[in-house]
Amino acid sequence: ILFIHSLHDFRCSDIMLIKSFLDYLRYERNYSEKTVLAYSEDIKQLQEFAQEEYGRFNPLEVEAELIREWIVSLMDRGYTSTSVNRKLSSLRSFYKYLLRQGEVTKDPLCKITGPKNKKPLPVFLKESEMNKLLDETDFGEGFKGYRDRLIIEVFYATGIRLSELIGLDDKDVDFSASLLKVTGKRNKQRLIPFGDELRELMLGYINIRNEMIPERSEAFFVRENGERLYKNLVYNLVKRNLSKVVTLKKRSPHVLRHTFATTMLNNDAELGAVKELLGYESIATTEIYTHAKKCINKLIQELKNKEVSMDVRIQSIHFDASEQLQAFIQKKVSKLEKYYEDIKKVEVSLKVVKPEVAANKEAGIKILIPNGEFYASKVCDTFEEAIDLDVEALEKQLVKYKEKQRSK
């Protein structure tokens, strides 16, 4: 009734076609009511545009030109490329269905290309921020405090969606096998393993819950009245507690899902395994997290570059090197760790050669690694310039050495 009511402006024959398509989505594809309604609204939005522009709309006579004009109008009204492409996806499904049913002979969207989507990096918490959240945050006393903390733990340890957490029942938690049975989009189920620490926390929660709320629903996570949690309650408790440790613009349960995925990849989990745990159909959806991994690795490397963990010894012959020159050398030499992490020692020698000429500053750098050494020496107008050229030459030597090692 809901969907027929939303299509009241269509002709009777059109309503029957669209209702048949929506029933197909609901009963054969197992789409949620929310998703089916979104498909219905997308079709209705195209109908409204066609009637406004051309005074009529027949879904069996739609041409590619109308679709292109509709895309332009959506973008002009401020819709994002992601939203427009989602609407186009609804229409593609609709016309593929009509083709299979023999209602149309061609798909008006077969040559339509949607606007290019931007792929922003997922927002996630650093490991130190998660540790602060779980170890230092006061979640409150009693059942409610224990439950709220456990909710954060489950999101972070399993990567499940908000709707999946709310939908968990007691029967979905297998403590003997340490597995969660999660019902995701389109009612697809998957198993997610959990560790001993989360197991103990969940058992503790059950003990407190059963003692304080003897009469309750079959839901695993419940309110104090025994009823299942609802989305706004969980969203707000996550946002409230994340706000205590981060200043991110987004502080939703989905941020913890991103954090789970990014943490898994940073600990060398296979992309395919992360895809399965998150419940994605396509591995391409998961690849966005590899961008986050690269960002983390870059930040870690930058932090390493700020510290000179190697032993750097500077020898100036027949003169005293200034503190400013020594600091410059330390900073430049530290960059070599980007190209080879296990540099044990660096020896820098500075001397003035041929005082009568301008280019008389010689700098030599020797770096020692476990299985060998590398050396570069340059003569320039200044020691700083000579050091720059030495470091550049050594970088190339280290890159070649690592390539040889990998090819063996």
Side-chain angles (χ1 to χ4, degrees):
I1 296 172
L2 172 65
F3 300 110
I4 294 176
H5 177 71
S6 70
L7 301 172
H8 66 276
D9 291 330
F10 287 89
R11 298 177 306 168
C12 290
S13 58
D14 296 340
I15 289 176
M16 295 308 296
L17 278 178
I18 297 169
K19 182 181 181 300
S20 174
F21 169 63
L22 299 178
D23 286 343
Y24 160 76
L25 295 180
R26 188 187 299 108
Y27 301 119
E28 294 189 37
R29 299 300 301 275
N30 287 324
Y31 284 10
S32 69
E33 293 297 299
K34 181 180 177 182
T35 302
V36 175
L37 179 59
Y39 275 72
S40 171
E41 291 298 327
D42 293 337
I43 296 170
K44 187 171 187 294
Q45 195 171 16
L46 176 64
Q47 175 245 352
E48 290 172 347
F49 173 77
Q51 287 188 332
E52 183 178 331
E53 293 294 316
Y54 298 101
R56 64 185 181 84
F57 174 74
N58 183 342
L60 302 182
E61 298 176 358
V62 168
E63 299 287 343
E65 183 180 355
L66 173 64
I67 302 294
R68 292 193 182 97
E69 291 176 357
W70 184 52
I71 292 173
V72 172
S73 75
L74 291 173
M75 298 298 287
D76 287 343
R77 289 164 58 190
Y79 281 87
T80 65
S81 55
T82 301
S83 296
V84 173
N85 282 314
R86 188 198 60 73
K87 292 177 181 296
L88 288 175
S89 177
S90 298
L91 290 175
R92 290 185 204 282
S93 297
F94 178 49
Y95 279 99
K96 284 179 182 178
Y97 173 79
L98 293 181
L99 273 171
R100 286 195 299 271
Q101 298 298 312
E103 298 290 346
V104 295
T105 57
K106 63 178 182 177
D107 179 0
L109 289 97
C110 64
K111 295 183 180 180
I112 297 292
T113 302
K116 190 173 182 180
N117 281 335
K118 295 179 180 179
K119 291 190 176 181
L121 291 178
V123 177
F124 60 90
L125 274 69
K126 294 180 286 189
E127 190 172 346
S128 59
E129 292 169 335
M130 280 306 306
N131 290 338
K132 185 177 180 181
L133 174 63
L134 297 174
D135 297 338
E136 300 178 22
T137 301
D138 181 12
F139 289 91
E141 299 294 328
F143 164 74
K144 194 174 177 182
Y146 197 103
R147 180 203 64 192
D148 291 358
R149 185 185 190 281
L150 179 60
I151 286 172
I152 301 287
E153 290 269 11
V154 170
F155 276 131
Y156 177 52
T158 66
I160 63 177
R161 301 178 177 93
L162 170 57
S163 59
E164 294 169 345
L165 179 133
I166 292 172
L168 280 177
D169 291 333
D170 283 344
K171 61 181 174 58
D172 297 324
V173 185
D174 185 345
F175 287 105
S176 61
S178 294
L179 290 172
L180 284 181
K181 184 170 72 173
V182 175
T183 302
K185 291 184 176 181
R186 303 181 193 174
N187 292 326
K188 290 188 176 180
Q189 294 186 325
R190 66 187 188 279
L191 296 175
I192 301 177
F194 55 85
D196 292 340
E197 184 177 347
L198 185 58
R199 181 178 184 275
E200 294 304 314
L201 288 172
M202 288 195 291
L203 287 171
Y205 162 77
I206 287 175
N207 290 335
I208 295 174
R209 182 198 67 181
N210 293 355
E211 181 180 346
M212 295 192 64
I213 313 172
E215 294 184 10
R216 59 189 178 276
S217 69
E218 60 185 359
F220 182 79
F221 286 109
V222 297
R223 289 173 274 161
E224 290 169 305
N225 63 2
E227 295 298 315
R228 191 182 297 273
L229 301 181
Y230 53 91
K231 285 188 176 181
N232 282 349
L233 186 154
V234 178
Y235 183 93
N236 288 331
L237 79 85
V238 170
K239 183 178 180 180
R240 182 173 64 251
N241 286 292
L242 290 187
S243 299
K244 297 176 183 177
V245 295
V246 295
T247 57
L248 297 171
K249 187 175 180 180
K250 290 185 178 179
R251 298 185 293 276
S252 66
H254 217 70
V255 170
L256 294 174
R257 181 170 162 86
H258 291 325
T259 303
F260 162 80
T262 305
T263 301
M264 290 283 289
L265 289 172
N266 283 327
N267 284 279
D268 297 324
E270 292 291 332
L271 196 61
V274 177
K275 162 190 168 282
E276 295 294 332
L277 291 172
L278 291 172
Y280 287 134
E281 291 187 0
S282 169
I283 199 167
T285 313
T286 325
E287 285 176 346
I288 191 170
Y289 296 109
T290 61
H291 298 297
K293 179 180 179 181
K294 289 176 184 176
C295 288
I296 291 177
N297 290 339
K298 184 179 178 182
L299 289 172
I300 291 172
Q301 190 63 59
E302 286 175 354
L303 289 173
K304 284 184 177 181
N305 294 339
K306 293 178 182 178
E307 303 173 358
V308 183
S309 57
M310 66 185 92
D311 180 16
V312 180
R313 298 186 182 183
I314 302 172
Q315 181 185 22
S316 51
I317 301 171
H318 301 312
F319 78 101
D320 294 324
S322 67
E323 291 184 3
Q324 185 177 1
L325 177 57
Q326 292 185 54
F328 175 86
I329 293 170
Q330 291 274 4
K331 181 179 179 180
K332 290 294 180 179
V333 167
S334 70
K335 293 184 177 181
L336 294 171
E337 284 192 309
K338 288 195 295 185
Y339 301 91
Y340 197 90
E341 295 178 357
D342 198 18
I343 298 175
K344 298 299 183 185
K345 187 178 179 181
V346 179
E347 295 175 353
V348 181
S349 61
L350 308 170
K351 64 179 179 180
V352 178
V353 295
K354 297 181 180 180
E356 67 274 12
V357 298
N360 60 6
K361 309 297 191 298
E362 180 179 352
I365 303 177
K366 180 194 288 186
I367 57 177
L368 305 176
I369 64 174
N371 298 315
E373 64 182 47
F374 299 92
Y375 181 75
S377 178
K378 302 292 178 183
V379 179
C380 298
D381 290 343
T382 66
F383 285 117
E384 287 85 352
E385 186 180 357
I387 290 294
D388 270 333
L389 293 174
D390 283 346
V391 169
E392 185 177 338
L394 288 167
E395 287 173 356
K396 293 177 181 178
Q397 293 179 41
L398 290 171
V399 168
K400 288 182 179 179
Y401 176 75
K402 288 184 75 173
E403 289 175 350
K404 282 185 178 180
Q405 293 297 107
R406 281 196 292 265
S407 63
K408 288 182 178 179

